[in-house]
Amino acid sequence: MSKCHLCHERPPALKRPKDGSFVCKQCFLDIFEEEVHQTIVSNKLFRPGMRVAIAASGGKDSTVLAHVLTRLDARHQYGVHFSLLSIDEGIAGYRDDSLAAVRRTAGLPPLDPLGLPLEVVSHAELFAGWTMDRVVQTIGQKGNCTYCGVFRRQALDRGAARLRADLIVTGHNADDIAETVLMNLLRGDIARLTRCTAIVTHTSGSDGPGDVPVVPRCKPLKYAYEKEIVMYAFFRRLDYVATDCVYSPHAYRGHARVFLKQLETARPSAILDIIHSGEALTTARQGTRLPTQGVCSVCGHVSSSRVCAACQLVDRLNTFEIPAVMDDAMPR
Amino acid sequence: MKLSIEFLGGCEQLFGGVSRLLDHDTPLEDGATIRHLLAYLRDHHMRARPDLFLDVGSAVSGATTLPAPGASTEDVDQQLSVRPGIIVLINNADWELFGMEDYRLQEADRVTFISTLHGG
């Protein structure tokens, strides 16, 4: 059989989807890490002294991200302080298992601990006791992802503030971003289509009237194929969970995902090609203004409207509950 | 033929939570390919909907075409593959290096299925 295209010595262990080259396990681990390093350097994601929160779900992407960043930092001395940030949405049978995996990654024996500080922020503590289990009990399963998405977004911001983080890094990979490009295209959401490929996103415009600093987010695995992330985790024997959320059918994204995987089978470069198309659209549409940011009049968090999305949802949930409470109190 | 078969990354959920069949006796004989293994797994080990694991049709065209009416089981099995998004390793290396579904299994091979479609 042929040899690794990089070291020309060892037998290959992987065909790389981005260019079809054959690489051995050792060369793959090296080049995968170095490509993430190149993404970090060429986009100037880190500055010395920065405090960087790694959004950690316990799944494959964020687990690989935490391991790769820790290794790269030892090799290239970014001079940043890493910590892990997890959100507990309050979903029994899903988040409890994955949080246990994050705790093992953070530093509990026996599995190759990274020794990183871990902050867990729960929906229950931030949003008046509204765990996702309770949300679904109240409103049913339909539309519950809206609540979870809005709450988790804000919880990440608040967790980052507790950690005094300057940057949040997330595990979004090339497949995720290509999927999002496709979905925005199919929905005709041009504003999101031109924004979703950005490697760094700021919620707040720093020159807006309500000049509220929001921790920027970035995606160091933006160009990393899901297949390679999974292979990396396999070769390094990383400890991650692969359970799906018990409430999320992800209907539309699921279709985009299946379609994308089929495209990839026929033409592996399709994933990066779609990302490049999205990036080209961004350049073509520069100059569009995003809504300016102010603060929520209820909780004080950054918001583009008078009351932030999370407070509006909590308010809606609280009204939902009133009939149930009254029902109990009513004479039968 | 004895094989070791692993189901990881969420695949195990489709096999009743079993993640490893070590030194597992299969009825497969010399000359059997991955396609034969897939048919065997479908018929004897799958505990959930086969369409979540298997793909019938040409993997190259990416089409999940249904078999023609009246197609024999053998015709269908000759087109069997895994669903796009499931990674297959043969002895810890990418099956794309070895001809994918057409790889001829050998005694004591380790075949690993890893789903990329779950969690994250």
Side-chain angles (χ1 to χ4, degrees):
Chain A
M1 198 173 83
S2 61
K3 306 259 189 208
C4 168
H5 289 178
L6 293 173
C7 68
H8 307 290
E9 281 173 24
R10 293 176 289 257
L14 168 77
K15 182 178 173 187
R16 299 200 73 194
K18 62 189 287 184
D19 57 10
S21 63
F22 294 1
V23 286
C24 71
K25 175 178 157 182
Q26 192 51 55
C27 289
F28 165 68
L29 293 173
D30 290 347
I31 198 168
F32 182 87
E33 289 166 2
E34 276 317 298
E35 285 177 358
V36 177
H37 175 62
Q38 286 310 319
T39 304
I40 291 168
V41 172
S42 59
N43 293 281
K44 303 187 175 66
L45 297 183
F46 298 157
R47 287 186 315 273
M50 257 188 168
R51 300 176 60 87
V52 178
I54 304 169
S57 68
K60 59 185 176 354
D61 303 303
S62 56
T63 305
V64 166
L65 180 63
H67 278 264
V68 169
L69 290 181
T70 312
R71 281 172 182 274
L72 286 177
D73 189 39
R75 196 177 304 154
H76 298 288
Q77 275 115 36
Y78 296 129
V80 301
H81 308 279
F82 288 115
S83 48
L84 296 171
L85 171 57
S86 292
I87 309 302
D88 183 357
E89 299 95 341
I91 303 175
Y94 166 61
R95 193 45 90 206
D96 34 10
D97 292 351
S98 54
L99 281 175
V102 176
R103 290 199 177 89
R104 293 194 295 272
T105 298
L108 293 180
L111 270 155
D112 190 26
L114 296 175
L116 296 177
L118 165 66
E119 177 80 27
V120 180
V121 182
S122 75
H123 282 196
E125 62 174 308
L126 292 184
F127 306 112
W130 284 105
T131 62
M132 282 311 294
D133 283 340
R134 231 182 105 207
V135 169
V136 172
Q137 275 164 25
T138 307
I139 65 156
Q141 209 152 314
K142 191 158 183 266
N144 85 84
C145 296
T146 304
Y147 291 84
C148 197
V150 169
F151 288 174
R152 185 166 355 91
R153 242 191 120 63
Q154 192 177 118
L156 265 181
D157 280 337
R158 291 181 181 265
R162 280 188 204 170
L163 289 164
R164 292 181 292 119
D166 308 294
L167 182 68
I168 300 173
V169 292
T170 60
H172 292 98
N173 61 44
D175 296 53
D176 294 331
I177 295 168
E179 237 169 71
T180 309
V181 170
L182 276 182
M183 283 169 62
N184 288 330
L185 180 75
L186 296 174
R187 284 177 178 141
D189 192 334
I190 307 303
R192 284 207 175 82
L193 180 59
T194 55
R195 260 182 290 155
C196 67
T197 53
I199 191 160
V200 184
T201 54
H202 307 261
T203 316
S204 164
S206 55
D207 54 354
D211 186 10
V212 183
V214 160
V215 183
R217 295 167 193 222
C218 79
K219 309 179 181 93
L221 300 182
K222 178 184 170 186
Y223 298 109
Y225 273 71
E226 193 156 60
K227 175 183 170 184
E228 296 202 344
I229 289 174
V230 170
M231 295 292 282
Y232 184 93
F234 177 78
F235 288 142
R236 288 241 185 264
R237 307 199 172 282
L238 302 187
D239 179 14
Y240 70 89
V241 293
T243 34
D244 290 311
C245 174
V246 292
Y247 298 135
S248 112
H250 277 315
Y252 200 56
R253 182 170 284 274
H255 289 304
R257 199 176 169 77
V258 169
F259 175 60
L260 188 74
K261 292 291 176 197
Q262 289 175 347
L263 277 182
E264 185 190 4
T265 309
R267 179 179 148 96
S269 69
I271 288 173
L272 285 183
D273 294 342
I274 290 171
I275 296 178
H276 290 147
S277 300
E279 289 170 341
L281 283 170
T282 310
T283 322
R285 266 184 62 101
Q286 262 175 9
T288 349
R289 284 189 61 88
L290 297 175
T292 46
Q293 300 282 342
V295 288
C296 170
S297 60
V298 179
C299 71
H301 195 75
V302 180
S303 167
S304 55
S305 52
R306 201 178 51 80
V307 177
C308 77
C311 284
Q312 288 179 29
L313 291 179
V314 167
D315 198 46
R316 201 188 298 169
L317 286 168
N318 286 336
T319 22
F320 252 111
E321 259 210 336
I322 290 167
V325 173
M326 284 173 59
D327 199 40
D328 280 343
M330 293 254 246
R332 282 166 204 265
Chain B
M1 184 184 292
K2 259 190 192 174
L3 299 170
S4 289
I5 307 162
E6 294 178 294
F7 307 103
L8 307 174
C11 274
E12 62 276 19
Q13 292 156 26
L14 307 175
F15 291 85
V18 175
S19 57
R20 277 184 182 83
L21 298 167
L22 291 179
D23 301 319
H24 178 74
D25 266 318
T26 70
L28 303 179
E29 292 172 0
D30 267 0
T33 66
I34 295 282
R35 281 188 219 279
H36 296 100
L37 174 64
L38 293 174
Y40 163 74
L41 291 173
R42 175 195 60 199
D43 297 341
H44 295 92
H45 292 280
M46 284 215 74
R47 298 281 177 274
R49 287 161 47 199
D51 60 309
L52 295 179
F53 185 66
L54 296 173
D55 191 23
V56 182
S58 163
V60 176
S61 77
T64 43
T65 45
L66 290 170
S72 73
T73 323
E74 278 152 37
D75 291 343
V76 174
D77 286 357
Q78 281 180 6
Q79 300 186 326
L80 264 191
S81 186
V82 291
R83 196 178 166 201
I86 293 177
I87 295 173
V88 186
L89 306 183
I90 296 162
N91 300 320
N92 294 335
D94 192 352
W95 75 332
E96 292 188 45
L97 301 167
F98 309 107
M100 302 169 71
E101 303 89 350
D102 296 318
Y103 170 76
R104 279 175 187 262
L105 290 159
Q106 299 182 25
E107 185 71 25
D109 271 349
R110 172 182 295 255
V111 183
T112 308
F113 299 95
I114 314 177
S115 175
T116 66
L117 302 169
H118 297 273

